[in-house]
Amino acid sequence: MDRGFRGIAWASAAFILVLVVYIIFEIGGKALPAMSQYGLGFLTSTTWNVQTEQFGILPQIWGTLYSSLLALILGGVFGIAIAIFLTQDFLHSGLAAVFRTIIEMLAAIPSVVFGLWGIYVLIPLLRPVADWLHGSLGFVPFFGTSLSGPGLAPAALVLAIMILPTVASISVDSLRQIPYKVKEAAYGMGTTRWEAILKVMLPTASSGILAALVLGFGRALGETMALAMLIGNANQISLSLFAPANTLAALLASSFPEAGPVEVRALMYAALALLAITLIVNAVGLAVMKFATRKFEAER
Amino acid sequence: MNAHSEMKVAAEVAAPASLGIVMNCQLEKVFYGDFLAVRNSVVPIEKNKITGFIGPSGCGKSTVLRSLNRMNDLIPIFRFEGKVTYHGQDIYDKKVDPVVVRRYIGMVFQQPNPFAMSIYDNVAFGLRLNGFKGDMDERVEKALHGAAIWNEVKDKLKNSGLSLSGGQQQRLCIARAIATEPDVLLMDEPCSALDPIATRRVEELMIELKEKYTIALVTHNMQQAMRVADTTAFFGVDISQGSRTGYLVEMGPTKKIFEEPEQQLTREYVRGEFS
């Protein structure tokens, strides 16, 4: 019995490993022709021209990182704020559970629905704000262009909402894991409620909150459908929040259906680049977490 | 007039400063929701002495201790009726901020509870909280010396406070509490999670600390009260009303409480006839 379960557990774990290696191998194999043809210049070139067979993904890399970073900042701040609100006695515990369920339900909304909501609700809502910001603060690079419809801002906002449940619920768990005696210690030292939260509770939960942010960022990097609908699919690099942009995932989603064999090879290379970015981000995140854990927690 | 009633008179008639009474707890009723947890207990805390609180479980000794720096305010259903004067000021007065009270009246808990920070940051925590601008290193070292743990941690101040053993963690918590040089130190069964050797160290430390601080100590261990407390307060449980309500049975010099108590209940308890 025991041995059977152990076998199943081992097999499942091994299967995941095999699957990851297989995916990398398969995509890498398909990308190999493009890799040898375009080399590393593929990552720094800004044209994507099927006719001339010139391909480069720097704008997409930029758009992927920029939109995800914006989403991480917004979703991170709100997610952590929600976690604090739900765990630090601001709400009756029953009410907090209801709130938490609602936030977790956000994760169940299909990506395409978020995309439609973005197009029909968010963009019209954003337009007057964007126009005003561009009009009065147009000299700031972030507001350098006007919002013509899809663009970075609506995409990043929707991404932020999409990563919110991940960030919030993992942060809630890590804050809730803190033993009551730690809170007592903080109040016993004469902290106010906010001092206790900011100087004791958040640092104590820091490794869990970092994990939440890394997972949220990873999710934002790979998000496809909503972004393909909202980002505007423009091959350009701009700091402006209102300019259309593109991401790797959106490029793949929108180009694959009509791509010929030459473009498919380039798209495979782009897919490999996206995979590499997410793997690197996760690895760096894990390393940071490990460092933070070692520093603060030691053995309990 | 015997010592016991003298104490009572001192507590009730007051003029606390002149008698060296730093705090005077004049508790009338303490409720958790509808439950009357403790009633009618007058507990004066004398300067530079260790006042031990003993009694069977459920007698309210921890509740009384935690009323002295308003720690019980963390429990929403807690309600305190009466007064706790600290240098003549009632800390339950509406104008008094409990946060400020806790900065003057430090606390050491039953379970060691260092923060998930370095040893140094643990000790510096309260100083930073108070906006201390002087020589932080010196104060941290002084507090760690004061808690008799400096020699064990001086080479690893950057390590996590949680990497220490239980007894060391408790002394670290004492260092954290005394770093801000509070007036009064409340200790709620500080040795209950420690082994006998660590317990002995903390007890020796308490006796050193009373030179500078005033200590109130809850202990479930009568031998500990006999070893360290100058004054002992014995709390009992009143079950006559169909509920379990704690109250102060008797308070006096430790020797007297253990050798010739006035109350029958105290005598039975210190003889170990119930616990």
Side-chain angles (χ1 to χ4, degrees):
Chain A
M1 191 63 174
D2 194 28
R3 189 178 289 179
F5 274 115
R6 185 182 300 211
I8 292 171
W10 268 103
S12 311
F15 177 72
I16 290 172
L17 202 69
V18 169
L19 197 66
V20 170
V21 171
Y22 172 74
I23 289 172
I24 294 173
F25 184 76
E26 190 69 9
I27 293 178
K30 294 229 168 85
L32 211 53
M35 283 169 84
S36 54
Q37 191 178 342
Y38 305 112
L40 285 178
F42 185 73
L43 304 176
T44 54
S45 158
T46 58
T47 41
W48 186 275
N49 191 327
V50 184
Q51 270 75 42
T52 61
E53 295 193 2
Q54 282 180 302
F55 298 108
I57 54 166
L58 190 63
Q60 285 79 8
I61 293 176
W62 164 258
T64 303
L65 292 176
Y66 195 20
S67 62
S68 300
L69 202 66
L70 287 173
L72 181 68
I73 293 169
L74 277 173
V77 168
F78 276 96
I80 294 169
I82 287 170
I84 291 171
F85 183 62
L86 293 185
T87 56
Q88 303 302 312
D89 305 325
F90 288 94
L91 280 182
H92 184 269
S93 60
L95 210 57
V98 173
F99 260 92
R100 191 180 172 182
T101 312
I102 293 172
I103 288 158
E104 281 171 358
M105 263 160 48
L106 280 179
I109 297 176
S111 178
V112 65
V113 175
F114 271 118
L116 288 172
W117 178 78
I119 289 172
Y120 289 109
V121 180
L122 188 61
I123 291 176
L125 271 178
L126 266 181
R127 193 165 282 145
V129 183
D131 286 346
W132 182 79
L133 280 172
H134 175 58
S136 48
L137 294 165
F139 56 89
V140 180
F142 297 119
F143 311 129
T145 62
S146 64
L147 184 73
S148 56
L152 202 60
L157 276 172
V158 165
L159 262 188
I161 297 171
M162 292 179 83
I163 68 169
L164 198 63
T166 312
V167 176
S169 63
I170 298 175
S171 303
V172 163
D173 286 339
S174 59
L175 281 167
R176 199 166 276 168
Q177 270 171 15
I178 301 174
Y180 183 71
K181 64 177 188 176
V182 172
K183 185 174 156 183
E184 268 189 339
Y187 281 98
M189 290 303 297
T191 61
T192 62
R193 175 193 245 185
W194 279 104
E195 283 167 342
I197 291 170
L198 296 175
K199 294 184 178 163
V200 177
M201 305 307 269
L202 285 183
T204 305
S206 58
S207 65
I209 291 172
L210 259 164
L213 294 176
V214 169
L215 282 172
F217 193 57
R219 167 122 207 252
L221 288 173
E223 175 49 41
T224 308
M225 195 60 218
L227 279 186
M229 295 166 80
L230 289 170
I231 196 133
N233 301 318
N235 259 14
Q236 59 176 32
I237 297 176
S238 166
L239 261 182
S240 172
L241 299 175
F242 306 132
N246 207 352
T247 71
L248 287 166
L251 170 77
L252 294 171
S254 50
S255 305
F256 249 114
E258 288 149 35
V262 179
E263 195 182 2
V264 164
R265 285 202 290 274
L267 287 171
M268 280 299 181
Y269 193 178
L272 194 67
L274 176 58
L275 195 61
I277 291 175
T278 47
L279 287 180
I280 289 169
V281 164
N282 274 301
V284 169
L286 282 175
V288 170
M289 258 156 59
K290 195 151 193 190
F291 171 74
T293 311
R294 204 176 300 162
K295 191 169 163 202
F296 290 123
E297 276 158 32
E299 65 265 41
R300 247 178 226 230
Chain B
M1 215 188 239
N2 58 50
H4 173 62
S5 53
E6 252 176 38
M7 187 65 72
K8 254 189 143 161
V9 167
E12 278 158 8
V13 179
S18 63
L19 287 165
I21 291 171
V22 177
M23 297 191 78
N24 193 6
C25 170
Q26 291 152 285
L27 179 156
E28 284 161 21
K29 281 174 180 156
V30 161
F31 292 95
Y32 291 109
D34 292 333
F35 170 62
L36 176 61
V38 189
R39 64 168 170 81
N40 309 86
S41 303
V42 174
V43 189
I45 310 289
E46 282 178 280
K47 191 170 171 55
N48 298 109
K49 288 199 172 159
I50 299 177
T51 305
F53 294 16
I54 61 167
S57 52
C59 69
K61 55 191 189 294
S62 277
T63 298
V64 172
L65 187 83
R66 283 158 173 262
S67 299
L68 299 182
N69 70 342
R70 297 191 60 174
M71 272 311 281
N72 283 326
D73 288 22
L74 295 190
I75 302 161
I77 57 170
F78 170 83
R79 193 153 53 83
F80 183 93
E81 286 176 14
K83 274 196 337 189
V84 176
T85 53
Y86 170 67
H87 294 297
Q89 164 75 49
D90 179 12
I91 64 167
Y92 278 91
D93 191 293
K94 279 196 186 65
K95 286 175 293 187
V96 172
D97 182 355
V99 168
V100 176
V101 170
R102 295 182 200 123
R103 293 192 184 183
Y104 287 98
I105 304 169
M107 184 138 195
V108 176
F109 297 83
Q110 198 166 346
Q111 297 280 332
N113 53 4
F115 297 131
M117 311 167 179
S118 70
I119 292 167
Y120 185 97
D121 288 342
N122 262 287
V123 181
F125 186 88
L127 293 167
R128 289 179 181 145
L129 203 62
N130 288 325
F132 177 72
K133 289 279 182 291
D135 187 346
M136 189 69 82
D137 291 356
E138 183 203 322
R139 289 288 290 266
V140 168
E141 181 176 339
K142 192 173 154 203
L144 287 166
H145 272 300
I149 191 180
W150 171 252
N151 288 328
E152 289 153 76
V153 301
K154 65 180 179 214
D155 299 321
K156 47 179 182 178
L157 293 174
K158 291 256 183 320
N159 290 17
S160 169
L162 295 164
S163 65
L164 300 172
S165 74
Q168 289 174 326
Q169 285 190 13
Q170 194 61 303
R171 276 178 285 141
L172 175 63
C173 290
I174 293 172
R176 181 178 65 188
I178 62 175
T180 53
E181 302 189 336
D183 202 16
V184 181
L185 208 51
L186 307 179
M187 304 179 106
D188 188 1
E189 300 193 25
C191 303
S192 66
L194 307 185
D195 62 58
I197 293 164
T199 297
R200 180 45 62 92
R201 295 222 55 177
V202 173
E203 285 178 4
E204 286 164 5
L205 178 57
M206 283 186 234
I207 291 168
E208 285 170 29
L209 287 174
K210 76 173 178 181
E211 304 279 311
K212 285 183 72 178
Y213 305 98
T214 301
I215 295 175
L217 166 75
V218 165
T219 176
H220 61 255
N221 178 334
M222 276 186 277
Q223 282 70 37
Q224 182 169 70
M226 283 166 78
R227 284 192 295 264
V228 302
D230 300 293
T231 305
T232 296
F234 170 64
F235 290 82
V237 186
D238 178 4
I239 50 172
S240 63
Q241 307 299 312
S243 167
R244 295 175 62 85
T245 299
Y247 66 106
L248 179 70
V249 177
E250 173 165 16
M251 182 169 181
T254 300
K255 198 165 155 43
K256 178 169 186 301
I257 293 289
F258 281 94
E259 286 170 11
E260 39 181 327
E262 307 212 326
Q263 304 290 325
Q264 183 62 25
L265 199 62
T266 315
R267 189 167 304 129
E268 287 169 16
Y269 184 75
V270 298
R271 280 190 194 150
E273 288 172 23
F274 70 99
S275 62

